[in-house]
Amino acid sequence: DVMIEMESSNALSKLNRGEADIAIRMACPSEDTLIAKVLTPIKLGLYASRDYLKGRSVSRINLHDEKLLAYDPAYGDIAENLWISESGLSSQTKFRSGSVRALLQAASAGAGIALLPDFMAKQVDLVRVSQDPGIKRTPWLVYHRDHRRALRHKSVRQWIVDCFKAEASAG
């Protein structure tokens, strides 16, 4: 009997100002008024559409010869951008976005190879390129400490935890 309003944004909701009751963040918050719980890590892989691959064997893909789809460098030293840079693949980046959904759509449309969460890529039937970047991102469930005992918040937080666990076990 809880109404959930979900907003997806790259901006951080200000939980201390009541902009949201619960947030999922890709970094642990530093505010002492917030409680943060680690969620099941999100595994990432390199994915492309079947159209992009044109029947080529994924084991023979040389990323230095491919078009890569990446996060906007404004996000700084996130694992995905670091991996591309450290692998010497920055010059192969042909599309950038601040949205994982935009990267997923671009890869689905055949624009190139993207580093994507495994669970998202599988939902749209993208093909995993054999090179494993070995990246996992750690999401955090974050809420204000004043809400820690509120039953409706507890049930929603548990539902989120269960969703992350279920997604990890399905992969």
Side-chain angles (χ1 to χ4, degrees):
D1 294 331
V2 175
M3 199 297 246
I4 297 173
E5 181 178 334
M6 183 182 289
E7 178 183 328
S8 179
S9 172
N10 292 331
L12 292 180
S13 297
K14 293 176 181 64
L15 296 167
N16 287 328
R17 293 188 186 160
E19 290 182 1
D21 294 325
I22 301 168
I24 298 170
R25 295 185 178 168
M26 298 310 292
C28 186
S30 59
E31 299 95 335
D32 61 358
T33 57
L34 301 179
I35 296 173
K37 177 182 173 96
V38 174
L39 293 168
T40 304
I42 299 170
K43 294 177 187 173
L44 291 104
L46 291 158
Y47 288 93
S49 70
R50 293 179 199 290
D51 286 343
Y52 177 82
L53 295 170
K54 298 176 185 136
R56 297 182 290 159
S57 168
V58 293
S59 64
R60 295 193 171 192
I61 297 291
N62 180 343
L63 295 176
H64 292 277
D65 297 329
E66 301 297 331
K67 296 174 186 170
L68 298 183
L69 318 174
Y71 281 102
D72 189 306
Y75 287 102
D77 292 339
I78 62 172
E80 295 91 326
N81 288 351
L82 284 173
W83 185 84
I84 288 172
S85 176
E86 290 169 0
S87 299
L89 296 167
S90 297
S91 65
Q92 295 311 116
T93 302
K94 306 302 179 197
F95 177 89
R96 293 190 186 277
S97 177
S99 164
V100 68
R101 286 183 187 83
L103 294 173
L104 181 71
Q105 290 298 318
S108 295
I113 298 173
L115 261 169
L116 295 166
D118 289 347
F119 76 93
M120 291 180 81
K122 289 174 185 172
Q123 289 173 352
V124 295
D125 197 36
L126 290 175
V127 178
R128 188 178 181 118
V129 175
S130 60
Q131 187 170 351
D132 184 3
I135 298 173
K136 289 184 183 179
R137 295 290 306 272
T138 303
W140 295 82
L141 177 68
V142 184
Y143 54 98
H144 196 280
R145 67 176 174 209
D146 291 348
H147 297 170
R148 68 184 173 273
R149 290 190 180 89
L151 287 180
R152 64 190 182 115
H153 292 181
K154 275 184 169 179
S155 64
V156 173
R157 290 192 309 262
Q158 187 58 53
W159 174 73
I160 292 169
V161 168
D162 292 345
C163 286
F164 271 80
K165 285 180 183 174
E167 200 59 58
S169 66

